[in-house]
Amino acid sequence: MATNVTFDYQKAEEKYRDADSLEEKMNCLKKMLQTAPKHKSAGNLLASIKERIAKLKLQMDRQKKASKGSGYSLTIKKEGAAQVCLVGKTNTGKSSLLKKLTGSNVEIADYEFTTKRPEVAIMDYKGVKIQVIEVPAIVKNLEESVMGPTFISIMNHADLLVLMFKDAKEKGFLDKELDGIKTERTVYNDQDKKEFSKVLWKRLGMIKVYTKQAGKEKDFPPVAFHKGATVGEVTGKVHKDFVKNFKYAKISGKSAKFKWQTVGKDHVLKDNDIVELHMK
Ligand SMILES: Nc1nc2c(ncn2[C@@H]2O[C@H](COP(=O)(O)OP(=O)(O)OP(=O)(O)O)[C@@H](O)[C@H]2O)c(=O)[nH]1
Ligand SMILES: [Mg+2]
């Protein structure tokens, strides 16, 4: 039934249709309820507005719950030296990259939204384990989508986001949706495809260090550290007791002035250094 509505109502309805967030939608619906004609023939309209308000309220409550963590796991337990998230719209090749990096048998398909839950796998970079997570496709108004708060929380806790997009428009979309996330980010470029694991490692800004016992070959796997890590930190990682028994270290590699230089615990190491610890 056609109902003559007021100008204010029309304006509110227009705003409602364009509203981006649930809160905004709710405000518009309330305004519509206030300004809708109250005569008998407008009964259906009023009922429909009230129904939409009730539905929206349910949706908002569910979202609040999700962001408080009830029923959802908000982060993914870190494993390995670092946690990296692959992030992008649907069909940008996240699963394909995850498979390439980790060997995971994640489902890859040319229909949209193939990956519905975060996919977690481990990449091996020259012996260092790095956790790689495919975050399901980023959708418009991510924060308000049912799983949005969970995905945002996962991204907030990661060490690095890898943004995957097909064009500048998609990049802009991601920048907008991920606006509040402070995690370091890098972009996935075509040029990087061949050796993306190496690019990732560089971008993480970490170093790997090989320990060694006197008279023996260097140990494998190496141990990962943040840039600027010292011999003392390596000693602590090998064994707690080693810290108090530390005498000196002999090092080889980029940070050494010459091969098997003797250094103390404050010596700063570089990527691929070999450290031979000597104890009291
Ligand atoms: N042309 C081209 N196609 C690709 C590339 N990477 C993946 N694809 C194809 O794109 C489609 C989607 O790939 P997925 O890896 O499943 O993409 P996704 O980002 O994980 O997608 P959803 O999980 O569905 O959001 C598949 O048909 C892939 O074969 C690429 O680098 N170039
Ligand atoms: Mg996928």
Side-chain angles (χ1 to χ4, degrees):
M1 186 199 307
T3 309
N4 288 327
V5 295
T6 62
F7 179 66
D8 280 347
Y9 176 85
Q10 263 177 351
K11 248 185 14 195
E13 194 181 53
E14 252 170 50
K15 264 178 91 179
Y16 168 74
R17 268 187 266 122
D18 290 334
D20 278 331
S21 70
L22 299 187
E23 273 77 9
E24 218 180 305
K25 276 200 166 105
M26 182 60 101
N27 288 337
C28 295
L29 280 172
K30 282 179 179 165
K31 186 84 192 170
M32 281 156 68
L33 193 63
Q34 273 172 20
T35 53
K38 302 292 185 299
H39 49 81
K40 219 172 166 191
S41 64
N44 285 343
L45 178 66
L46 287 173
S48 137
I49 297 171
K50 282 177 189 163
E51 196 182 302
R52 275 182 280 173
I53 288 179
K55 267 197 191 147
L56 191 60
K57 189 168 180 309
L58 255 176
Q59 208 180 340
M60 287 167 85
D61 284 346
R62 228 180 288 145
Q63 204 176 79
K64 231 186 245 161
K65 256 192 196 163
S67 65
K68 276 185 192 146
S70 56
Y72 293 100
S73 157
L74 283 185
T75 57
I76 289 167
K77 189 174 171 286
K78 272 195 192 184
E79 269 171 43
Q83 195 181 56
V84 176
C85 286
L86 309 182
V87 181
K89 287 183 87 165
T90 188
N91 270 340
T92 46
K94 301 180 294 298
S95 296
S96 305
L97 181 60
L98 184 73
K99 183 177 177 183
K100 203 172 116 196
L101 292 173
T102 68
S104 146
N105 60 356
V106 60
E107 192 182 349
I108 296 168
D110 54 13
Y111 57 85
E112 300 196 327
F113 301 103
T114 311
T115 308
K116 294 189 177 59
R117 300 263 149 193
E119 287 283 346
V120 188
I122 297 283
M123 157 180 136
D124 185 301
Y125 183 71
K126 301 188 175 183
V128 177
K129 307 278 189 233
I130 294 174
Q131 192 178 40
V132 186
I133 301 168
E134 175 185 359
V135 178
I138 302 300
V139 294
K140 188 160 190 278
N141 298 325
L142 177 71
E143 212 174 342
E144 284 148 21
S145 66
V146 177
M147 290 300 284
T150 300
F151 299 163
I152 289 170
S153 170
I154 290 169
M155 290 186 277
N156 268 325
H157 286 85
D159 298 300
L160 181 67
L161 307 182
V162 176
L163 302 190
M164 302 183 70
F165 46 86
K166 293 194 182 98
D167 50 37
K169 194 172 158 238
E170 274 193 18
K171 170 73 164 57
F173 169 87
L174 288 181
D175 285 342
K176 180 168 175 272
E177 293 300 334
L178 308 178
D179 186 37
I181 298 171
K182 302 270 189 305
T183 309
E184 289 279 322
R185 49 187 81 176
T186 189
V187 299
Y188 180 69
N189 290 318
D190 280 349
Q191 307 92 281
D192 297 336
K193 271 182 188 160
K194 253 208 289 196
E195 282 196 285
F196 193 62
S197 55
K198 194 171 173 182
V199 175
L200 263 189
W201 176 252
K202 275 216 184 115
R203 200 59 192 72
L204 279 167
M206 299 178 81
I207 61 167
K208 55 188 176 312
V209 171
Y210 296 86
T211 53
K212 175 187 178 304
Q213 286 175 278
K216 288 189 179 166
E217 288 292 303
K218 67 181 181 188
D219 298 323
F220 190 87
V223 191
F225 290 93
H226 62 92
K227 228 176 223 155
T230 59
V231 166
E233 284 172 73
V234 173
T235 313
K237 191 94 170 196
V238 174
H239 201 289
K240 271 207 309 279
D241 291 348
F242 274 37
V243 180
K244 61 176 189 286
N245 293 328
F246 176 85
K247 209 154 99 194
Y248 63 90
K250 284 176 162 254
I251 55 161
S252 159
K254 273 187 270 180
S255 80
K257 280 195 193 120
F258 48 88
K259 210 169 182 187
W260 306 126
Q261 181 193 358
T262 301
V263 296
K265 64 175 176 16
D266 293 332
H267 178 84
V268 173
L269 292 161
K270 292 208 163 134
D271 197 23
N272 294 327
D273 277 356
I274 305 172
V275 183
E276 186 179 287
L277 296 174
H278 289 259
M279 302 296 151
K280 284 177 202 151

